[in-house]
Amino acid sequence: MIRDITFGQYYPGDSVIHRLDARVKILWTLMYLVMIFFVKDFIGYGIFIVALAGIIKAAKIPFRYIARGMKPIMFILILTFILNMFLHDGKVLVQLGPLEITDVGVQTAVFIAFRLILLIFGTSLLTYTTKPMQLTDGLEKLMSPLAKLGFPANEVAMMISIALRFIPTLLDETDKIMKAQQARGADFETGNVIKRITSMIPLIIPLFVSSFRIAQDLAMAMEARCYRGGTGRTRLHPMKYKKADYVAYTFIVVFAAVIVVQSRGILPLPMLWPR
Amino acid sequence: MRVKIENLTHIYNQGQANETAALDDVTLTIEDGEFAGLIGHTGSGKSTLVQHLNALLKPHSGKIFIGDTDITEKGVSLMDIRKKVGLVFQYPEHQLFEATVEEDVAFGPKNLGLSEEEIAQRVDEALRLVGLDPEVHGKRSPFELSGGQKRRAAVAGVIAMKPEILILDEPTAGLDPGAHQEILEMIQHIRKEQKCTTLLVSHNMDDIARLCDRVIVMNKGKVALNGTPAEVFSQDDFLKSIGLGLPAAKELLYIMKNKGIDVASRVGGAVADVLTDQQAADVIFEMLQKSGKISAGTGMEEK
Ligand SMILES: Nc1ncnc2c1ncn2[C@@H]1O[C@H](COP(=O)(O)OP(=O)(O)O)[C@@H](O)[C@H]1O
Ligand SMILES: [Mg+2]
């Protein structure tokens, strides 16, 4: 059950996307995040969906696996959807006492829901297809200009990658402790809110203790291998762009251009549900 | 209580790139009151198997009978299963969470919905059974105990539920030799007092050979061997081929046999019958006596 959380995990594979340079994927993700807020209509989303579908296909990740990653945010998604339906002025569609669902509300709700889903789908692809170490290397390299200004690029990159690296470890640990407590009759699944929250105590406390233990072991292991921060470290696998990476960069630029042009209405593309 | 497993198969991450068939058509029975040992290379599916026995994992296919109940059927009470089957996880001390050992041991009985007096009595009894003093250790924080004591406290947490079947997943992993021995003695003591059917998962062939009535060997998710310790440990080549070893005493006799001194046959036995250090010492002693290297009667009291 706890293993259903797939967001932030690495999905082992050897696809074109997996083999791309981490920097390409990080920049794509950043661009994607910005561009999605440019989108004004469903044609824009259509372009996003086509691009995303293409990438998912190329990465050979089952759609079901990514969809499972949506589960934890389902609640937020439904909540924003419902709130949006009621919170906009417009032509009243349904009247529920003092509350009214308007046409603008429904449109906005659907629109925002699309945005959230696309955000999660798009950003989770980065970690699905990039190993934590590659991600760190990529981040560090991208931040290296900032390092000249005294920004602790290596340390930040290392922290992020450790955090990512330990998501599966902590999920494993959670799973184990949960089972151990269930073996003693603990019940995490039924009861009212209060009961469910208190039933988490036998899980949270051992998890804290375990996290500290893991952190301590990791610190020890890093120190034993003389980790002293990033300055002067060389790499086993120096990052080098390949042909596929340049192709990917071209795709990113083209994609960004299409979105900007389409959303600004520079091209006379038909606007579907304009806002 | 009898445990019967029929054609059990379990697949992790089904339908994904990292799909693993951790159990593949496992069939076995553990008789009422038996002390069974489960051995196998790391990743052979031992932990996966034992987690099925109290319904922590659902099988892909197959049946599991605890007594007469098929626990894979819909509608069986989970609480009932967990009351009957006590599972002590690997590194069980990682599950401790309460402010005091007493309260932690009480967690299971509380979940069973027992009365206050009954809980207090069970906690007291369980702590004594695992060799902790309720007056001294019971009031302490579990995090203040030594490694071996923490593990006992965690075992007490399971014992306090009075399971009819006790399963221990590598209960001595990571302990020093002293604590290791104490945990084994504790298991034997619990068995004697509570008369529970027992399944011990271990990597220590000496412990298995000495304690168990029956040994089940797992390899790559399948049951590779299943028989008495003498039967199983006579398959030394096979065991080595799947990354397992022999009890040290038996290994010793095999080495001597290869060097031309078949100790066991010289005293009219077979290496296959020798399992424990004590038995090996006995046959060596007997051989030396027979060959006149030592006079009859010497050394016996030193054993
Ligand atoms: N929670 C899990 N998710 C995915 N695979 C698992 C999980 N637990 C165990 N496995 C895999 O199942 C196989 C059997 O593991 P396990 O039952 O832990 O073996 P053992 O206890 O004999 O070492 C291994 O290949 C292991 O990697
Ligand atoms: Mg195991």
Side-chain angles (χ1 to χ4, degrees), chain B residues 184-217:
Chain B
L184 291 180
E185 278 158 25
M186 174 199 82
I187 295 170
Q188 285 175 295
H189 181 59
I190 294 168
R191 236 182 94 73
K192 210 173 101 214
E193 295 294 317
Q194 308 249 316
K195 311 258 180 297
C196 39
T197 307
T198 315
L199 179 61
L200 173 69
V201 180
S202 174
H203 280 299
N204 189 313
M205 304 300 147
D206 289 311
D207 298 344
I208 295 279
R210 188 159 56 86
L211 299 173
C212 297
D213 307 322
R214 200 146 59 82
V215 184
I216 299 153
V217 183

Side-chain angles (χ1 to χ4, degrees), chain A residues 3 6 11-13 62 64-65 68 173 175-187 201-203 205-207 209-210 213, chain B residues 12-18 51 54 56-57 79 82 85-87 89 94-97 104-105 107-109 111 143 154 157-158 161:
Chain A
R3 285 169 176 280
T6 54
Y11 185 89
R64 267 215 337 244
Y65 183 81
R68 257 195 4 210
E173 199 65 28
D175 192 55
K176 264 191 234 156
I177 296 168
M178 216 160 173
K179 280 181 183 159
Q181 306 300 28
Q182 280 173 328
R184 294 205 278 165
D187 177 8
I201 295 172
L203 179 60
I205 292 177
L207 200 54
V209 177
S210 290
R213 194 185 58 244
Chain B
Y12 284 112
N13 303 321
Q14 193 166 22
Q16 284 173 37
N18 52 352
Q51 284 173 38
N54 67 351
L56 285 169
L57 288 177
M79 198 56 96
R82 289 175 189 160
V85 184
L87 174 55
F89 270 79
H94 293 174
Q95 76 189 25
L96 299 169
F97 71 99
D104 203 279
V105 175
F107 182 66
N111 287 328
F143 301 104
V158 173
M161 298 175 74

Side-chain angles (χ1 to χ4, degrees), chain B residues 43 46-48 90 169-170 201:
Chain B
K46 306 181 296 293
S47 300
T48 306
Q90 214 167 339
D169 195 350
E170 300 190 30
V201 180

